């Protein structure tokens, strides 16, 4: 945000891979007038799978009593010239921090997948498929469930895949009792839609068998890490059990808060190209991180898929409970040596 110009701006800067230095000047992509930084628009972007297109969404600031607005623009990444631009005004109330994911395919067709609330306080998901001036909208209400956390991908045919978790009505988004899969083609038609409660087979190995028998179980601390596209057009959902506790460290003023972050088992759920469950497994791990800034940590995991083989990588961390160095954090290197993190 520029105070003198009273506007928010989005730039792109290219870099040389050989030396990491800037290649050319910054290129201005978008500006939006705003009287203050607190009331400024926000920008999000997404590249097409082949890298040839860039989608930018301008999320208009919250307006009490108004309707939600957005601007979509697609650029060629060869020179960042605009291909098309479209300003949209929704029929739903303006929201602070709208929950939405965006994607663009190699042909420049843009997708917006939104979780929102209408005037009747009903939760629903909304899909926009935009190709220049052509806009297709799809809306579906959710009765007994809410969307939890979700991600989007563009498949090999340029279609949108939105997938993620379902949450019990009235519960936070990390409370998960099922999953969903939605596929939309470039014209905005729904090719596949599936909302499914977690099957007993999915819960085995991560949930107490008695809880599975009783039914109605939901994960209270499941974080959706990513959805990974497979060669058959399906996806793999990666979820991780995460929790956070905090205590005041010492008597300093202002108080210093120490966070203990726990990153444990990974739930891997494979779906076919219509959203049906193919298989699932649980990768067992335990990580604990103490930090004064919960945004800075070495927990969780990284993933990569090659030839439909999924690889997960994480730091093995634990507390050593043996004298003379009781309760120090360590990880184990390739030789088996314990490396002191403290």
């Amino acid at each position: 945000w520029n105070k003198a110009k009273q506007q928010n701006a989005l730039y792109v800067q290219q870099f040389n891979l050989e030396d990491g230095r800037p290649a050319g000047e910054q290129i201005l992509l978008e500006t939006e007038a705003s009287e203050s930084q607190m009331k400024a628009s926000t920008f999000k972007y997404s590249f097409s799978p082949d890298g040839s297109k860039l989608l930018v969404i301008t999320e208009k600031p919250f307006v009490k009593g108004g309707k939600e607005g957005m601007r979509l623009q697609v650029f060629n990444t060869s020179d960042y010239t605009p291909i098309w631009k479209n300003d949209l005004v929704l029929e739903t109330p303006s929201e602070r921090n709208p929950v939405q994911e965006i994607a663009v395919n190699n042909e420049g067709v843009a997708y917006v997948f939104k979780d929102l609330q209408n005037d009747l306080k009903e939760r629903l998901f909304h899909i926009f498929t935009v190709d220049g001036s052509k806009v297709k909208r799809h809306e579906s209400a959710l009765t007994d469930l809410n969307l939890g956390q979700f991600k989007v991908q563009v498949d090999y045919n340029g279609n949108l895949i939105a997938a993620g978790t379902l949450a019990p009505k009235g519960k936070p988004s990390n409370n998960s009792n099922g999953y969903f899969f939605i596929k939309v083609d470039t014209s905005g038609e729904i090719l596949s839609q599936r909302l499914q409660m977690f099957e007993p087979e999915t819960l085995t190995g991560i949930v107490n068998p008695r809880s599975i028998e009783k039914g109605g179980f939901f994960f209270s601390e499941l974080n959706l890490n990513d959805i990974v596209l497979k060669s058959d057009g399906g996806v793999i959902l990666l979820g991780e059990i995460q929790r956070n506790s905090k205590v005041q460290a010492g008597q300093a003023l202002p108080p210093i808060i120490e966070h203990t972050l726990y990153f444990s088992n990974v739930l891997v759920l494979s779906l076919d190209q219509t959203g049906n469950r193919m298989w699932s497994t649980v990768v067992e791990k335990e990580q604990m991180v103490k930090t004064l800034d919960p945004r800075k940590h070495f927990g969780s995991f990284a993933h990569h898929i090659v030839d439909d083989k999924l690889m997960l990588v994480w730091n093995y961390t634990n507390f050593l409970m043996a004298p003379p160095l009781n309760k120090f954090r360590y990880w184990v290197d390739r030789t088996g040596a314990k490396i002191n993190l403290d």
Side-chain angles (χ1 to χ4, degrees), residues 241 243 261-266 283-289 314-319 330:
I241 304 297
R243 63 186 189 277
L261 310 179
Y262 299 90
F263 304 87
S264 55
N265 295 347
V266 178
V283 180
E284 296 183 357
K285 70 177 182 67
E286 279 295 334
Q287 295 171 291
M288 179 167 58
V289 179
W314 66 90
N315 296 322
Y316 177 73
T317 61
N318 210 334
F319 270 82
Y330 68 91

Side-chain angles (χ1 to χ4, degrees), residues 218-233:
F218 64 87
F219 295 102
S220 60
E221 298 163 331
L222 182 66
N223 181 70
L224 180 66
N225 183 285
D226 204 359
I227 64 171
V228 182
L229 188 64
K230 301 186 299 179
S231 63
D232 65 358

Side-chain angles (χ1 to χ4, degrees), residues 71-114:
R71 176 181 298 132
L72 298 173
Q73 297 182 80
V74 171
F75 299 85
N76 277 310
T77 58
S78 57
D79 55 6
Y80 289 97
T81 54
I83 300 175
W84 59 260
K85 176 169 62 175
N86 200 326
D87 285 87
L88 302 176
V89 177
L90 281 63
E91 296 300 320
T92 49
S94 179
E95 288 189 310
R96 291 186 174 91
N97 304 314
V99 180
Q100 57 195 16
E101 293 282 336
I102 62 173
V104 60
N105 69 13
N106 297 337
E107 304 305 317
V109 178
Y111 301 99
V112 182
F113 185 87
K114 293 180 60 64

Side-chain angles (χ1 to χ4, degrees), residues 116-178:
L116 45 76
Q117 181 173 276
N118 61 17
D119 291 321
L120 301 176
K121 306 299 182 183
E122 298 172 324
R123 300 306 304 184
L124 45 89
F125 66 84
H126 208 134
I127 304 171
F128 291 90
T129 306
V130 186
D131 186 3
S133 61
K134 295 184 293 184
V135 181
K136 180 66 178 290
R137 310 180 189 216
H138 176 85
E139 180 182 293
S140 290
L142 300 167
T143 52
D144 300 324
L145 294 168
N146 288 340
L147 297 185
Q149 303 168 51
F150 54 86
K151 306 281 187 180
V152 296
Q153 288 274 10
V154 172
D155 72 8
Y156 302 109
N157 296 316
N159 304 316
L160 174 76
I161 293 179
T165 59
L166 297 171
K169 207 170 187 64
K171 296 290 185 180
S173 64
N174 65 346
N175 284 217
S176 307
N177 61 354

